[in-house]
Amino acid sequence: MKFVSRCVLVWLLALTGYAESATEAQCQTVRIGVVDWTDLHVVNGIAKSLLEQLGYRVELSNQPATPEVFSQMQQRNIDVFMGYWTPAMVEVAAPFYGPQDVSTLTANLDEALWTLAVPDYVYEQGVHDFADIARFSDKFEGRIYGLEKGSSGNAAILEMISSNAFGLKDFKLIETSERLMLAQVNGRVRKGEWIVFMGWKPHPMNQQFAMRYLDGGDQYFGPDYGKATVNTSIRKGLEQECPNLARFFSNLTFKAAIEEEIMQKTSNEFVPVDRAVRMWMHRNPAQVSAWLSGVKTLTGQPVDPQMMADEMEVTFGR
């Protein structure tokens, strides 16, 4: 009888393991939301490299701005988005957020900030506060450089302009991609020209340019220079359908120094994202181990983080 009981127990455990494996197999393609931000490319690149090592297939779903990402998550076309900045994006996300559509899985970075910024030579000539911008309208050519259409940063700037906050009613918002905005900053800094633009941390712009963040924008970007938390959002049902993936993305939290070190490689040394994140993980196996704590492969096998970090080594042609 004891032998039969043991056999039944083994059979039940095997059946449970099979069921879990089969459930996870349905989650083998992971769709990650992308907006063209350098920091988001880095964290997505880390997730993609690790997930592929675990046996998953990763699709990076490029979208023009955050509202489109949340809309696609609401329609279950995107599984995960690691770029939900709060409180700045709460209003943008509100129509899509809630337990029946999109929810927050975890905070992945709590050292972020974003607000308007100027080069240091502009700051030194008297632009310390949002209230100083309009006084130098001619030097700024009546322009504030923002990000892509639909971004929450742009929405804040447009609100300032439409309500004539800080006397900005005659200013024009220049809506463009992060890359083109920073190209404008780079060109004007080289010439010593004036510019006011969206700045944030973590980002290599903080090392690339001598820049200063402006005071006075608390109503529009939040206190402490728009101090923000970056969150990982998931579509409805992901935690229940794909518990291994949920565990993985819950573990995937960052420090600003990690992101900026990798962004330095991608932005200023022109190393492709996939190679830059592999190089970093190969040198930091302890962090890889933390990210993979309690995580299994797609087929339910245990993970050897040290071996995975070793396999991340970048060599010629790989």
Side-chain angles (χ1 to χ4, degrees), residues 128-249:
H128 300 166
D129 191 284
F130 279 48
D132 296 324
I133 297 171
R135 292 197 296 116
F136 298 96
S137 176
D138 289 347
K139 285 183 173 291
F140 287 122
E141 298 177 346
R143 297 175 180 178
I144 299 173
Y145 285 82
L147 294 171
E148 68 283 341
K149 264 184 192 299
S151 76
S152 54
N154 286 9
I157 296 167
L158 288 170
E159 184 181 348
M160 288 190 293
I161 292 171
S162 65
S163 65
N164 194 30
F166 312 109
L168 294 173
K169 65 182 177 65
D170 294 324
F171 270 71
K172 179 181 180 182
L173 169 66
I174 306 301
E175 297 185 292
T176 184
S177 69
E178 173 194 323
R179 293 177 189 276
L180 292 177
M181 183 198 76
L182 292 175
Q184 282 286 338
V185 176
N186 186 53
R188 287 172 182 266
V189 166
R190 286 187 175 200
K191 297 175 184 176
E193 296 174 349
W194 285 43
I195 187 170
V196 56
F197 59 95
M198 277 300 312
W200 64 92
K201 294 180 181 180
H203 195 280
M205 71 173 84
N206 296 283
Q207 283 76 47
Q208 185 178 358
F209 306 117
M211 54 185 278
R212 299 289 294 269
Y213 291 95
L214 300 183
D215 290 312
D218 292 15
Q219 180 180 343
Y220 298 93
F221 293 97
D224 300 323
Y225 301 100
K227 179 172 171 52
T229 298
V230 187
N231 305 277
T232 298
S233 303
I234 56 172
R235 63 157 175 84
K236 175 187 175 183
L238 185 77
E239 283 186 278
Q240 295 74 31
E241 297 164 17
C242 312
N244 193 53
L245 278 180
R247 178 63 180 263
F248 170 77
F249 282 106

Side-chain angles (χ1 to χ4, degrees), residues 49-63:
S49 290
L50 290 172
L51 286 168
E52 288 176 344
Q53 291 266 14
L54 293 170
Y56 290 90
R57 180 172 177 266
V58 177
E59 292 180 0
L60 298 177
S61 179
N62 292 285
Q63 302 296 324

Side-chain angles (χ1 to χ4, degrees), residues 30-42:
V30 187
R31 300 159 302 176
I32 301 178
V34 181
V35 182
D36 190 17
W37 307 331
T38 304
D39 51 333
L40 192 57
H41 288 311
V42 166

